[in-house]
């Protein structure tokens, strides 16, 4: 077997599982963004965060692979997770209009906040609670761009029927 | 001397050093060795052999101090966290305003990272998946850091309305960023991020303009 072949590592981390989980996360997030069409960018961001969290709650094994197993698996897993966070951060940055953008590290920190909040719940065996933190995370992300009041209003708004 | 420096080995053979000095030196060497070996191997692959080789002590000495690798890693993690906490609290005490306390605390963390990347990496190593006991200690220490940030809710205009998980998420995010940069092996570059990290941590509490101002002020 090639050393670079995907598959379970000796530490229980599986590249294939990670890549598959990340692929499904990407699809969920991109579909949610597309579903918002030409709507306001904060709504697309909120929809993407909610979709990502819904995907994590619906597939705890994938959430675990992305947020807990990867960084615990040493260099390879940590590098993959950093790349995944970087991808999501770039996606978030590209959604924000230039005149609303914050310092370059902003999106990496915010996506890192989402990953670590999910990791805490996965680790605690509380994956059913992942969707329950969506409002808080949407607000935390958006307040960096919109300010507290607008972010809270948008995060707490009832979902469209 | 770097804080990562391993305590010097004691002279071999007969010497007049008191036993407690010898024991303390060996324990410190094992803790440093664990930090170095963890950085290199990760927790899951770490062996007692890795630790004793990095520490330059015998297997007998290892087992005189620790039950197993978990016991040693727990001690190393606790030791590093207590040192970092002391630095953070000392830095906070030098400032009066809450936002400047946060700025000073973050500066202290980054100074510690630059001086002792191996030790700080110990705090960012995510052993959660492989060892529940270590995971619980890591979660407790992160919660301790989050608790230090929480008074910002009382001392800042935007604090009272912030989402419940703000502090937990911010601490987790900063640890992820610092850990990622340390793993890339460039602790010097890390210090350049300090003002930006401070700004991002402060933004929820004081808004982006005030956060930017505090983050770029001279401490």
């Amino acid at each position: 077997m090639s050393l670079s072949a995907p598959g379970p590592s000796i530490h229980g981390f599986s590249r294939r599982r990670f890549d598959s989980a990340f692929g499904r996360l990407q699809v969920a997030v991109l579909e949610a963004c597309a579903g918002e069409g030409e709507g306001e960018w904060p709504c697309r961001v909120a929809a993407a965060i909610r979709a990502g969290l819904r995907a994590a709650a619906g597939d705890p094994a994938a959430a675990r692979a992305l947020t807990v197993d990867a960084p615990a698996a040493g260099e390879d897993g940590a590098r993959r997770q950093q790349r995944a966070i970087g991808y999501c951060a770039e996606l978030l940055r590209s959604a924000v209009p230039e005149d609303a953008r914050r310092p370059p590290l902003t999106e990496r920190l915010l996506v890192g906040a989402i990953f670590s909040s999910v990791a805490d719940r996965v680790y605690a065996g509380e994956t059913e609670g992942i969707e329950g933190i969506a409002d808080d995370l949407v607000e935390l992300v958006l307040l960096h761009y919109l300010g507290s009041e607008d972010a809270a209003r948008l995060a707490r708004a009832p979902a469209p029927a | 001397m770097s804080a990562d420096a391993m305590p010097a080995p004691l002279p071999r053979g007969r010497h007049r050093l008191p036993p407690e000095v010898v024991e303390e030196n060996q324990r410190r060497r094992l803790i440093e060795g664990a930090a170095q070996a963890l950085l290199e191997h990760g927790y899951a692959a770490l062996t007692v052999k890795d630790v004793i080789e990095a520490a330059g002590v015998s297997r007998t000495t290892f087992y005189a101090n620790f039950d197993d690798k978990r016991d040693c890693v727990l001690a190393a993690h606790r030791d590093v966290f207590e040192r970092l906490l002391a630095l953070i609290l000392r830095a906070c005490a030098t400032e009066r305003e809450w936002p400047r306390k946060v700025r000073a605390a973050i500066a202290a963390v980054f100074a510690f990272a630059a001086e002792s990347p191996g030790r700080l990496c110990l705090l960012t190593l995510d052993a959660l998946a492989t060892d529940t006991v270590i995971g619980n200690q890591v979660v407790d220490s992160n919660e301790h850091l989050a608790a230090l940030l929480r008074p910002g809710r009382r001392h800042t205009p935007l604090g009272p309305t912030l989402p419940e998980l703000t502090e937990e998420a911010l601490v987790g995010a900063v640890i992820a960023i610092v850990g990622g940069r340390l793993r890339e092996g460039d602790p010097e570059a890390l210090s350049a991020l300090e003002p930006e990290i401070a700004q991002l941590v402060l933004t929820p509490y004081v808004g982006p303009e005030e956060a930017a101002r505090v983050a770029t002020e001279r401490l």
Side-chain angles (χ1 to χ4, degrees):
Chain A
M1 188 177 84
S2 157
L3 283 176
S4 61
S9 77
I10 56 168
H11 313 309
F13 168 69
S14 157
R15 294 174 191 165
R16 185 179 296 154
R17 199 180 309 135
F18 181 92
D19 291 345
S20 159
F22 183 49
R24 272 174 284 153
L25 176 69
Q26 284 175 291
V27 170
V29 165
L30 293 172
E31 279 182 355
C33 289
E36 289 293 314
E38 295 300 307
E40 297 283 317
W41 70 266
C43 297
R44 286 202 301 279
V45 168
I49 294 170
R50 290 183 194 285
L53 294 172
R54 201 176 309 120
D59 190 348
R64 183 178 181 92
L66 287 171
T67 64
V68 173
D69 289 345
E75 285 302 310
D76 182 38
R79 210 170 22 244
R80 276 165 195 269
Q81 192 198 42
Q82 288 295 319
R83 276 207 298 268
I85 290 175
Y87 171 87
C88 295
E90 192 49 48
L91 206 60
L92 173 58
R93 192 162 185 83
S94 67
V96 178
E98 276 190 29
D99 59 358
R101 284 187 186 163
R102 296 295 170 196
L105 206 56
T106 305
E107 289 76 21
R108 223 178 162 91
L109 182 120
L110 295 174
V111 173
I114 295 171
F115 268 62
S116 80
S117 299
V118 172
D120 286 351
R121 275 140 194 91
V122 170
Y123 179 66
E126 295 167 359
T127 47
E128 73 283 356
I130 290 175
E131 275 195 272
I133 58 175
D135 287 354
D136 277 10
L137 286 173
V138 167
E139 184 178 343
L140 184 64
V141 168
L142 289 179
L143 71 80
H144 279 82
Y145 307 100
L146 307 177
S148 266
E149 214 169 297
D150 286 347
R153 187 173 45 73
L154 207 144
R156 313 288 163 185
Chain B
M1 182 179 80
S2 160
D4 266 351
M6 178 75 73
L10 297 175
R12 286 181 180 277
R14 286 177 178 276
H15 54 63
R16 291 172 183 275
L17 292 169
E20 61 270 20
V21 171
V22 175
E23 284 164 18
E24 178 58 21
N25 174 278
Q26 288 172 336
R27 191 175 170 84
R28 291 236 54 81
R29 293 179 66 78
L30 281 164
I31 284 175
E32 292 299 336
Q36 285 179 19
L38 262 172
L39 190 56
E40 192 175 336
H41 302 285
Y43 181 76
L46 185 74
T47 63
V48 169
K49 183 168 177 272
D50 298 327
V51 177
I52 62 179
E53 280 180 2
V57 301
S58 70
R59 189 172 283 270
T60 307
T61 300
F62 179 92
Y63 284 108
N65 281 274
F66 302 110
D67 293 339
D68 48 26
K69 78 165 181 177
R70 172 204 276 169
D71 191 27
C72 180
V73 170
L74 283 170
H77 179 272
R78 198 161 38 239
D79 179 81
V80 174
F81 184 70
E82 283 169 5
R83 282 162 194 258
L84 181 66
L85 200 57
L87 288 173
I88 288 173
L89 294 175
R90 201 178 309 147
C92 287
T94 62
E95 300 290 340
R96 288 183 57 194
E97 302 292 324
W98 184 83
R100 284 180 60 88
K101 284 181 186 288
V102 173
R103 171 82 201 287
I106 290 173
V109 172
F110 277 74
F112 187 73
E115 196 186 339
S116 321
R119 284 186 182 178
L120 194 76
C121 221
L122 186 64
L123 295 183
T124 69
L125 279 172
D126 204 330
L128 300 186
T130 48
D131 191 303
T132 311
V133 178
I134 292 183
N136 284 334
Q137 188 167 305
V138 172
V139 168
D140 283 350
S141 61
N142 290 354
E143 175 51 36
H144 202 128
L145 295 176
L148 291 179
L149 205 49
R150 217 160 273 134
R153 290 171 179 266
R154 294 197 309 272
H155 298 305
T156 58
L158 304 172
T161 62
L162 286 175
E164 182 63 30
L165 57 58
T166 300
E167 290 80 11
E168 168 200 330
L170 288 174
V171 167
V174 171
I175 286 174
I177 288 179
V178 171
R181 296 296 161 112
L182 287 176
R183 274 191 289 266
E184 286 166 13
D186 193 2
E188 300 293 321
L190 192 62
S191 61
L193 301 179
E194 185 246 309
E196 210 174 317
I197 294 275
Q199 180 180 344
L200 293 169
V201 170
L202 285 170
T203 293
Y205 300 88
V206 298
E209 287 77 22
E210 177 66 3
R213 190 186 66 74
V214 175
T216 50
E217 271 180 348
R218 183 184 287 271
L219 281 174

